[in-house]
Amino acid sequence: MTDDPYLAHRSLLFTVAYELLGSAADADDVVQETWLRWAEVDHAAVRDPRAYLVRIVTRQALNRLRTVSRRREDYVGEWLPEPLLTSPDVADDVELAESVSMAMLTVLETLGPTERAVLVLHEVFAVPYDEIAEAVGRSAAAVRQVAHRAREHVAARRPRTTVSRAEQQRVVDRFLAAVTAGDVHGLLDVLAPDVVVVADGGGLAPAARRPIAGRERVANALARFAAFAPGVVITTPLVNGGVAARIDAGGEFDTAITFVVEDGRISRMYAVRNPHKLGRLDTVAELRR
């Protein structure tokens, strides 16, 4: 264990920034900015380095979030968070895995910056309300109210159940077997009636500009996959805390798909095709609460 609090907590700081921003590249920038500010501080005067560093990274992430939110308004098609290759330890930490899942990150995108920060800091990292108040520039009472509203908002939109990694793997394997065989009946069996597919190409790779909803529409679209991508290699790494699909077409990394599994079927799929967002899937990200 290092004696430098910044180095000791760097993985935590990255996780906070990533959950607030949904972008590993932006999170890296925020963590670097946090280090620059930490280097200017009299460390001996800091009673709780972890709390102090989390406060700095939160403020920097909020500043960045307000900037990138405007940029995302001009994004081509659907915007999805940047997927991260994660370790089995993250998948085994149920709360952390849920908090970094693509499903949860997309729900967090529907919150305002302050609501997102309050919810993430309190619910995921157990930061007390008074410390959050210092980070976001609100009173503790106001932060409690913000947290209450944010919890209600997220509860109405988050996946209804949490399934084991083994169950995720079984369902994803069934799905991929049906896709690669062009088996429409197999797809209809493994997809939920109200399944939704969201794809992110960023204008740089072919992708549906709007979500595709409904089992029949999704199954018919995916049944053509085998014909369009012969010789494709598909693996199932752990991405954002859950079982995912990595598609390598023609020897090149092409798509990362994460899934929401409910009641033995896939209810949502998030397909990231923007090549600028796929670089982190060759190295396991260090995430920690």
Side-chain angles (χ1 to χ4, degrees):
M1 173 67 77
T2 177
D3 291 332
D4 184 339
Y6 171 82
L7 294 178
H9 297 301
R10 193 186 187 286
S11 294
L12 165 68
L13 300 178
F14 175 83
T15 309
V16 171
Y18 175 69
E19 292 201 25
L20 292 181
L21 294 162
S23 163
D26 288 324
D28 278 338
D29 289 343
V30 163
V31 171
Q32 179 65 19
E33 290 164 4
T34 299
W35 178 80
L36 293 173
R37 280 159 177 75
W38 174 250
E40 298 172 352
V41 172
D42 178 2
H43 298 171
V46 178
R47 287 181 316 203
D48 186 342
R50 180 184 185 275
Y52 190 90
L53 286 163
V54 168
R55 188 158 64 243
I56 296 175
V57 84
T58 299
R59 288 173 178 168
Q60 297 305 313
L62 282 172
N63 291 338
R64 180 65 63 99
L65 186 58
R66 294 182 179 104
T67 299
V68 299
S69 294
R70 291 190 291 271
R71 192 168 69 219
R72 288 171 191 171
E73 292 176 0
D74 299 324
Y75 196 78
V76 177
E78 295 289 322
W79 184 94
L80 288 175
E82 184 178 351
L84 295 178
L85 187 65
T86 48
S87 67
D89 289 344
V90 172
D92 292 339
D93 184 335
V94 175
E95 290 185 8
L96 179 58
E98 182 186 21
S99 72
V100 298
S101 69
M102 199 67 71
M104 179 57 73
L105 291 174
T106 56
V107 172
L108 291 176
E109 283 293 315
T110 65
L111 294 171
T114 301
E115 289 178 313
R116 184 168 182 166
V118 169
L119 185 77
V120 166
L121 291 176
H122 187 68
E123 299 298 314
V124 182
F125 301 101
V127 178
Y129 286 125
D130 56 343
E131 292 183 15
I132 298 174
E134 287 188 54
V136 302
R138 301 281 187 91
S139 68
V143 164
R144 287 178 183 275
Q145 292 179 340
V146 169
H148 177 72
R149 291 196 304 269
R151 275 195 298 270
E152 288 187 335
H153 179 93
V154 169
R157 293 163 175 80
R158 74 201 308 172
R160 294 180 292 276
T161 59
T162 300
V163 300
S164 68
R165 195 194 327 165
E167 174 68 5
Q168 290 177 35
Q169 188 73 57
R170 283 193 293 271
V171 174
V172 171
D173 286 346
R174 284 172 53 208
F175 167 78
L176 293 176
V179 166
T180 53
D183 180 2
V184 175
H185 292 297
L187 285 168
L188 291 172
D189 186 54
V190 78
L191 297 173
D194 56 352
V195 64
V196 176
V197 178
V198 182
D200 175 348
L204 301 173
R209 294 288 183 93
R210 295 183 177 84
I212 302 171
R215 179 163 53 193
E216 286 74 19
R217 287 187 65 203
V218 172
N220 288 329
L222 292 175
R224 299 190 294 270
F225 174 81
F228 283 119
V232 68
V233 176
I234 304 177
T235 53
T236 55
L238 292 174
V239 174
N240 286 72
V243 178
R246 170 178 170 146
I247 299 174
D248 290 82
E252 294 186 4
F253 186 13
D254 182 83
T255 308
I257 307 174
T258 57
F259 305 88
V260 174
V261 174
E262 300 179 86
D263 301 322
R265 290 179 170 175
I266 293 170
S267 61
R268 292 189 78 86
M269 286 185 278
Y270 302 95
V272 178
R273 307 205 68 231
N274 183 338
H276 294 331
K277 294 185 178 183
L278 298 176
R280 298 297 182 114
L281 291 175
D282 287 320
T283 305
V284 175
E286 293 185 18
L287 301 179
R288 184 167 64 85
R289 284 199 294 156

